[in-house]
Amino acid sequence: MNPFILICPSTRGLSLALTRYYLCNSKLPIYATHRAPSTDSLRERILSGLPQNSGVNPNRLNFLPVELTSEDSIKSAAEQLSSMLPADRKSYIHTAFFTGGMLHPERQPSDLNEKNIYETFQLNVIAHMLLVKHFSRFLPPSSSKPADLAKWVHVSARVGSISDNKIGGWYSYRASKAALNQMIRTFDLHLQSKRLPAICVGVHPGTVKTDLSKSFWSGVKEGKLFEPEYAAEKLARVVEKLGTESRGKVWDWAGKEVPS
């Protein structure tokens, strides 16, 4: 068996930090998706951010071009991954992180805009569903007995919780993350029905210091605005500890369950 790690996308903020984390803290091949036309500059940017003397083998890092708003692109990337995997060994996903998302922070109904709503659902929900459609075939089959339970992980958000919504606002972002959480639960039930040695979960990274949250940094409580590297390490460690009793749920960076 030949396990590997998939990070989609992998080039900015939290996703970039996750890519670097797994390069430094695992020995597995990593398949990282991107939109940039040149993989040479991307490879240099990812590797140059690693600690000195990390000893990382750069040949472990592989790239797949993906445009998340196009099913044809997602399908093509899955086919390319299949062709890149060793033909003489059974390859399967050990850990997959799907991090794509965007935010339009509507504070009241008059702020709602059809284009922005569609764009939010396109990246926060539809893309994730199509990634399930085309990449879940790389999960280990029911007949296999991998050393570790495969982890299929979608980056969600606490604001997707309906019961935890106390202040309102962010209509399309909240609704899209709630929909993503439902998809996570539904896909995990599918994994169970097929008896695959894998679980699907969501994770909430907290407020991470990225372009997505930049407009809100000033309002974050002291000690609760996380650097991407810190959030990536916390999430990866939480995911590593999750077992079958944790499946189909959303977990935050501290390992606490996010209510539905």
Side-chain angles (χ1 to χ4, degrees):
M1 299 291 284
N2 184 40
F4 64 90
I5 292 169
L6 175 66
I7 310 290
C8 176
S10 66
T11 60
R12 299 174 63 190
L14 178 63
S15 63
L16 175 58
L18 282 165
T19 304
R20 288 172 174 161
Y21 174 87
Y22 282 109
L23 280 170
C24 293
N25 293 278
S26 83
K27 300 296 183 182
L28 301 179
I30 294 175
Y31 292 86
T33 76
H34 67 99
R35 294 176 63 187
S38 172
T39 59
D40 291 336
S41 60
L42 179 56
R43 180 181 298 276
E44 173 62 24
R45 185 155 68 91
I46 292 174
L47 296 177
S48 65
L50 299 179
Q52 289 187 348
N53 303 317
S54 62
V56 170
N57 178 358
N59 294 326
R60 288 174 47 222
L61 181 59
N62 308 276
F63 293 106
L64 296 167
V66 174
E67 170 51 65
L68 291 177
T69 61
S70 166
E71 181 174 5
D72 286 342
S73 177
I74 293 171
K75 179 181 178 181
S76 176
E79 292 171 348
Q80 182 175 339
L81 173 58
S82 181
S83 68
M84 294 169 69
L85 294 172
D88 58 338
R89 288 181 289 175
K90 294 182 179 179
S91 298
Y92 69 92
I93 287 174
H94 176 278
T95 303
F97 264 91
F98 302 95
T99 65
M102 72 167 314
L103 166 63
H104 287 291
E106 310 99 343
R107 291 177 171 80
Q108 53 193 355
S110 60
D111 294 333
L112 292 167
N113 173 278
E114 181 180 8
K115 178 178 179 294
N116 291 346
I117 294 170
Y118 179 80
E119 188 176 46
T120 300
F121 273 80
Q122 178 74 48
L123 286 175
N124 293 2
V125 188
I126 297 172
H128 287 256
M129 297 175 79
L130 293 175
L131 288 164
V132 167
K133 175 182 177 180
H134 293 289
F135 279 87
S136 59
R137 62 185 170 116
F138 298 106
L139 286 168
S142 59
S143 59
S144 65
K145 295 183 179 180
D148 299 306
L149 190 67
K151 311 291 177 59
W152 184 280
V153 187
H154 295 269
V155 174
S156 186
R158 185 176 297 277
V159 297
S161 168
I162 295 173
S163 63
D164 193 54
N165 185 359
K166 309 297 184 184
I167 61 174
W170 293 17
Y171 286 79
S172 59
Y173 189 70
R174 285 186 185 275
S176 65
K177 291 299 185 178
L180 176 61
N181 294 349
Q182 181 67 272
M183 190 216 72
I184 289 166
R185 172 65 174 163
T186 301
F187 180 51
D188 185 73
L189 289 170
H190 171 78
L191 297 179
Q192 293 184 60
S193 70
K194 297 300 181 181
R195 301 184 182 278
L196 300 185
I199 62 171
C200 177
V201 297
V203 291
H204 166 59
T207 304
V208 184
K209 203 171 183 181
T210 64
D211 290 343
L212 182 75
S213 64
K214 193 170 185 177
S215 301
F216 316 103
W217 291 354
S218 61
V220 179
K221 294 180 181 179
E222 185 176 354
K224 294 298 183 181
L225 179 60
F226 302 145
E227 293 293 336
E229 294 76 16
Y230 177 86
E233 180 178 353
K234 286 291 187 180
L235 291 183
R237 290 185 174 180
V238 167
V239 167
E240 287 165 10
K241 295 177 181 177
L242 297 180
T244 54
E245 72 284 354
S246 307
R247 63 188 317 146
K249 302 174 182 179
V250 180
W251 301 91
D252 73 8
W253 58 272
K256 298 178 181 179
E257 182 180 351
V258 176
S260 59

